[in-house]
Amino acid sequence: MPKKHPDSSPTQISPDDLPSSEIDISGIHFHIEFVDVPDAKERHERLIAHMGDWLLAEWEREQAAETGCQRSQTVQTRA
């Protein structure tokens, strides 16, 4: 769980700091809307923690499956 910093306030971005919201790619015109997300840092930290946990669980699952395959081969070899 990310630590809360009560005295830290979100950084304010002036409209002049935002990139242009109108772009044209290969004749296709796009309008991009930028949305301020006050808790973006906390969301990003939670995402990274969640992905790390998921990757570790997947790795452990694969290791267990490989160990199971090796054990079954050992049992077959002995028989």
Side-chain angles (χ1 to χ4, degrees):
M1 184 62 99
K3 295 179 182 177
K4 300 279 182 178
H5 300 285
D7 53 339
S8 65
S9 61
T11 306
Q12 295 298 321
I13 300 173
S14 82
D16 296 332
D17 293 336
L18 294 175
S20 172
S21 62
E22 303 289 329
I23 60 171
D24 190 89
I25 301 174
S26 300
I28 301 172
H29 187 75
F30 294 91
H31 175 78
I32 300 171
E33 182 177 342
F34 295 93
V35 179
D36 182 36
V37 180
D39 63 341
K41 183 178 184 220
E42 289 81 14
R43 287 181 182 206
H44 183 261
E45 289 171 350
R46 286 194 314 260
L47 171 68
I48 296 299
H50 175 75
M51 291 300 295
D53 292 344
W54 178 79
L55 286 170
L56 179 60
E58 286 295 305
W59 180 80
E60 289 173 344
R61 184 184 61 78
E62 288 177 6
Q63 294 299 310
E66 287 179 13
T67 302
C69 288
Q70 291 172 357
R71 285 184 187 158
S72 64
Q73 289 172 358
T74 304
V75 170
Q76 291 173 359
T77 304
R78 290 180 186 170

